[in-house]
Amino acid sequence: MLSIVLYVLMGISALLGILFYAGAASSDVLIYWCYILLFIGTLAAIVFPIMHMVKNPKSGKAALIGIGGIVVIFLISYLMAGDEMIDKYDGFISGPAASKRVSTGLISFYILAAGAVGVTVFSGVTKFFK
């Protein structure tokens, strides 16, 4: 059933692409089609993992622990972030609230990047000694 839906969506996309290059369809039609595909993809990305978690609760538990870890990292980043405004920020950041969000994103990126490097190094070292 899903493969049929996939082929139908691919066929519609190919047809719209051909019609666009032939001049029979405007770019607005393609943009709306992309919105529809984005909605379908987002819905599938939310619904199918939930269905999998219901069928297999043990894997769902691991996923929820991972999501909880990400939430904790963002909470720590938010608490560490500052909301100060420097004159250089005027063209880029609209106010203190936006500055706090940008700082939160940067700090969380730094924490996640450091964690990724740490896990990579740890994995390499443990494989070296095995």
Side-chain angles (χ1 to χ4, degrees):
M1 181 71 178
L2 288 176
S3 62
I4 293 171
V5 172
L6 173 67
Y7 289 128
V8 168
L9 292 175
M10 285 178 19
I12 293 171
S13 298
L15 179 65
L16 286 174
I18 292 169
L19 290 175
F20 175 74
Y21 284 113
S26 68
S27 60
D28 291 340
V29 173
L30 291 179
I31 290 172
Y32 288 128
W33 180 245
C34 288
Y35 288 150
I36 291 169
L37 291 177
L38 178 67
F39 175 75
I40 292 170
T42 303
L43 189 67
I46 293 171
V47 169
F48 286 126
I50 290 173
M51 288 173 36
H52 181 71
M53 279 193 265
V54 169
K55 290 179 183 177
N56 190 355
K58 289 189 180 191
S59 67
K61 180 182 173 184
L64 290 176
I65 289 172
I67 291 170
I70 294 291
V71 168
V72 167
I73 288 172
F74 278 114
L75 180 65
I76 291 170
S77 300
Y78 182 79
L79 294 174
M80 290 175 61
D83 60 353
E84 61 272 351
M85 289 291 295
I86 300 174
D87 292 335
K88 289 191 259 183
Y89 295 170
D90 284 339
F92 303 105
I93 300 174
S94 62
S99 177
K100 181 115 176 152
R101 288 192 304 269
V102 170
S103 297
T104 299
L106 287 171
I107 292 170
S108 62
F109 169 76
Y110 296 146
I111 291 171
L112 291 171
V117 169
V119 166
T120 304
V121 169
F122 179 76
S123 174
V125 169
T126 56
K127 284 183 182 179
F128 180 75
F129 287 115
K130 283 188 177 181

